[in-house]
Amino acid sequence: MSDISCHRDGPVLRLTFNRPHVLNAVTPAVLDDLTELLTETAEDPSVRVIVLAGAGRAFSSGADLTAVSDLPPEATLQAANRLIRCLGTLPQPVVAAVQGPAAGVGASIALACDLVLASTTAFFQLAFVNIGLMPDGGATLLVPANIGRARALRLALLGERLPAALAADWGLIHQVVEPPELAGAVDELATRLSRAAPLALAAAKRAVNAATLGGLEDSLERELIGQSALLGSEDFQSAVTAFRDKQTPYFAGR
């Protein structure tokens, strides 16, 4: 699992996307490895808090469009859905530390964590529409659950970057700090959570998620159906080619 680094710091488990050469773009294997690690952690009561971060200058730029794979195009989406379900059902609180881009499914993963801390250099981007796709990884529920329909549609339809400071102002994330302060702020929050009553944290997380994210399974299913159709479209294939050639895609609506 070299693409996911794992470090134990007392009651805190730190998991890091370790593909900085591609801005931590994810593959199905990376997502499944992370889900496996988290599933194992759920059974370990000595782990009180999980911190999820990205190596280098990004949290995650989303799905790796350059990866050569024999897997079907839906494989990344299905692996992401398994991870999103896992994050929501873990008894431990999960803190996302975002120091740069969190785009596409990378944004979905960050926002599926329980508390998100970001540096002022970070941004969140539902960039799917820019390559002819729709938001996935539960984003069609996670984002409006936090910031409402109008703002969620702004992000989903325009595919624009949302700076961390504005994300915090909107209530999409927990806190934004200057880059040199991010590690310390994450450590402080993780320590605070590690000293709290674990059964109470688990019960609170479970109740809040049930009240606000009860439609997650339906959302994941809608995303799977819609995204599967879009992955087979000419528009997406054109966008992938344009991405690799560093050109602007043309969308014909087919």
Side-chain angles (χ1 to χ4, degrees), residues 10 27 83 131 143 168 171 185 214 218 222 229:
T27 64
L83 174 59
I131 54 172
V143 176
D218 287 342
R222 282 193 295 270

Side-chain angles (χ1 to χ4, degrees), residues 164-216:
L166 185 54
D169 184 58
W170 281 5
L172 186 64
I173 64 174
H174 169 59
Q175 185 181 6
V176 61
V177 297
E178 293 297 325
E181 300 171 5
L182 181 60
V186 170
D187 289 346
E188 181 180 352
L189 180 59
T191 298
R192 179 178 176 181
L193 289 169
S194 72
R195 294 173 178 170
L199 297 181
L201 292 180
K205 173 176 174 175
R206 187 166 54 249
V208 170
N209 284 350
T212 59
L213 302 179
L216 181 60

Side-chain angles (χ1 to χ4, degrees), residues 94-135:
V94 184
V95 176
V98 181
Q99 77 281 25
V105 75
S108 302
I109 294 167
L111 298 175
C113 295
D114 303 308
L115 294 169
V116 182
L117 275 70
S119 76
T120 53
T121 58
F123 65 84
F124 301 83
Q125 185 177 19
L126 298 185
F128 304 90
V129 70
N130 298 334
I131 54 172
L133 298 178
M134 63 176 285

Side-chain angles (χ1 to χ4, degrees), residues 139-158:
T140 58
L141 178 63
L142 294 165
V143 176
N146 285 338
I147 60 175
R149 176 178 178 272
R151 286 171 171 167
L153 282 173
R154 170 179 167 178
L155 297 179
L157 300 183
L158 299 181

Side-chain angles (χ1 to χ4, degrees), residues 29 32-33 41 44 50 69-70 78 93 95 145 164 195 203 209 224 254:
D32 282 339
D33 284 349
T41 300
D44 186 352
I50 300 163
S69 175
D70 294 328
Q78 293 166 339
V95 176
R195 294 173 178 170
N209 284 350
L224 180 60
R254 297 191 296 270

Side-chain angles (χ1 to χ4, degrees), residues 28-52:
V30 170
L31 296 170
D32 282 339
D33 284 349
L34 180 54
T35 300
E36 182 180 344
L37 284 168
L38 292 172
T39 301
E40 294 172 355
T41 300
E43 304 300 323
D44 186 352
S46 69
V47 175
R48 295 290 192 91
V49 185
I50 300 163
V51 174
L52 182 59

